[in-house]
Amino acid sequence: MECLQRFTHRLLPTTTTVAQNCFKNTFQFRNYPLIPLSNQTAGKPIFSLDLITTRSYRSPSSSSVARAGWLLGLGEKKKKQSLPDIVKAGDPVLHEPARDVSPEEIGSERIQKIVDDMVKVMRSAPGVGLAAPQIGIPLKIIVLEDTKEYISYATKEETKAQDRRPFDLLVFFNPKLKNKSNKTALFFEGCLSVDGFRAMVERYLEVEVAGLDRDGQPIKVDASGWQARILQHECDHLDGTLYVDKMTPRTFRTVENLDLPLAAECPKLGVR
């Protein structure tokens, strides 16, 4: 079976710094044409946002814990596909702002292939959201979806507290996010680019996101609860921000320690 190929961009020869080069040069993405930059345990798979719930599944014969979250696992492992690897924290593409995709580019074969690959990577991870920088592409594209099956891996109490409901696949180019109220909530999040860890993050409960869909047409979504959290998490990626940059102090932990008590001074989970 062919190994997964990493799609992280590689800079052309230059004397400027890595951070500057990340978004000033022309990159060759493997399997994509040149893009000029102008302006499981107990049968339960492990899920990660790209957000995470606090639900754990314990094997009767093992102390390991599988987490259901942003990306909920779907039963048996699917046949491996030749897809881009998920870029991990530390890669410059995750820590620098992405660039806009022009309306003229959206309909091109290369951009549509990037979107298709993002959806496949998100679903196979599995996850409920993904941003283009997470497969090494510094473009403002996000994809997200949450399904009844994903949600079924969490308890009814958790989904009610998180105001989590299923929604169909959404694709955004150049999303612009604004909060619709000042109400916030604290829940644990995870990220496919920071695999194996979780931390509490405070997010707005209601947001509006406007941008272009995969056909280049205007799209606007009013979101609340868990969907609003996913949108904020993914839009942060486009600004070069990871959830650990916004996490509540003293809440960072491994997946295995997710159920352990919070430090005494930490705020409680839930709506603020």
Side-chain angles (χ1 to χ4, degrees):
M1 183 67 67
E2 179 180 327
C3 294
L4 294 178
Q5 301 297 318
R6 177 165 181 155
F7 277 42
T8 306
H9 59 276
R10 295 290 179 255
L11 304 177
L12 293 178
T14 179
T15 58
T16 54
T17 66
V18 170
Q20 290 172 327
N21 284 338
C22 285
F23 300 94
K24 290 185 179 179
N25 293 307
T26 298
F27 302 102
Q28 173 71 63
F29 300 106
R30 191 171 300 177
N31 292 351
Y32 298 116
L34 284 173
I35 299 180
L37 302 187
S38 54
N39 307 310
Q40 199 148 344
T41 62
K44 299 290 185 180
I46 298 176
F47 291 86
S48 179
L49 281 176
D50 193 69
L51 291 179
I52 301 295
T53 70
T54 58
R55 175 64 171 166
S56 65
Y57 298 94
R58 299 188 182 278
S59 169
S61 60
S62 172
S63 60
S64 61
V65 180
R67 307 294 175 176
W70 279 131
L71 309 174
L72 293 181
L74 302 177
E76 297 180 359
K77 291 184 179 179
K78 299 177 181 178
K79 183 178 180 180
K80 289 185 178 180
Q81 304 178 57
S82 181
L83 295 173
D85 282 344
I86 294 172
V87 175
K88 303 303 181 181
D91 193 305
V93 73
L94 292 175
H95 304 285
E96 294 285 340
R99 75 148 173 108
D100 286 345
V101 181
S102 69
E104 295 75 22
E105 290 179 283
I106 292 176
S108 68
E109 182 178 352
R110 71 169 184 267
I111 295 297
Q112 290 297 312
K113 176 172 172 49
I114 289 171
V115 173
D116 288 341
D117 283 352
M118 288 177 63
V119 174
K120 292 175 183 177
V121 169
M122 176 183 70
R123 290 173 173 171
S124 66
V128 295
L130 195 76
Q134 291 183 275
I135 58 169
I137 298 175
L139 300 178
K140 290 186 177 181
I141 313 172
I142 62 173
V143 298
L144 59 153
E145 73 177 346
D146 203 359
T147 70
K148 290 182 179 179
E149 184 171 3
Y150 292 175
I151 295 171
S152 71
Y153 287 93
T155 66
K156 292 182 179 180
E157 291 78 11
E158 285 174 334
T159 56
K160 181 178 180 180
Q162 296 161 351
D163 188 17
R164 186 176 177 186
R165 300 175 301 277
F167 59 87
D168 293 333
L169 176 68
L170 289 171
V171 177
F172 276 96
F173 287 89
N174 312 328
K176 296 186 183 300
L177 182 148
K178 65 179 181 180
N179 60 299
K180 298 181 64 179
S181 77
N182 291 322
K183 292 183 178 181
T184 62
L186 277 164
F187 287 107
F188 276 98
E189 289 186 18
C191 181
L192 294 173
S193 294
V194 193
D195 195 30
F197 298 92
R198 306 289 183 264
M200 284 170 54
V201 181
E202 186 172 10
R203 301 283 190 187
Y204 290 111
L205 286 173
E206 296 180 294
V207 299
E208 175 187 286
V209 180
L212 300 175
D213 64 17
R214 71 176 304 167
D215 296 317
Q217 299 301 308
I219 181 176
K220 183 170 71 172
V221 171
D222 292 318
S224 61
W226 207 244
Q227 184 183 30
R229 179 170 290 266
I230 297 171
L231 282 163
Q232 290 168 85
H233 181 106
E234 301 308 329
C235 285
D236 276 352
H237 275 300
L238 305 184
D239 293 329
T241 301
L242 300 179
Y243 82 94
V244 292
D245 298 320
K246 292 186 170 184
M247 67 183 180
T248 302
R250 298 185 177 89
T251 65
F252 186 70
R253 56 192 54 209
T254 63
V255 168
E256 291 76 14
N257 289 338
L258 187 56
D259 289 334
L260 296 183
L262 292 167
E265 63 272 26
C266 291
K268 293 182 179 180
L269 288 168
V271 177
R272 303 284 280 169

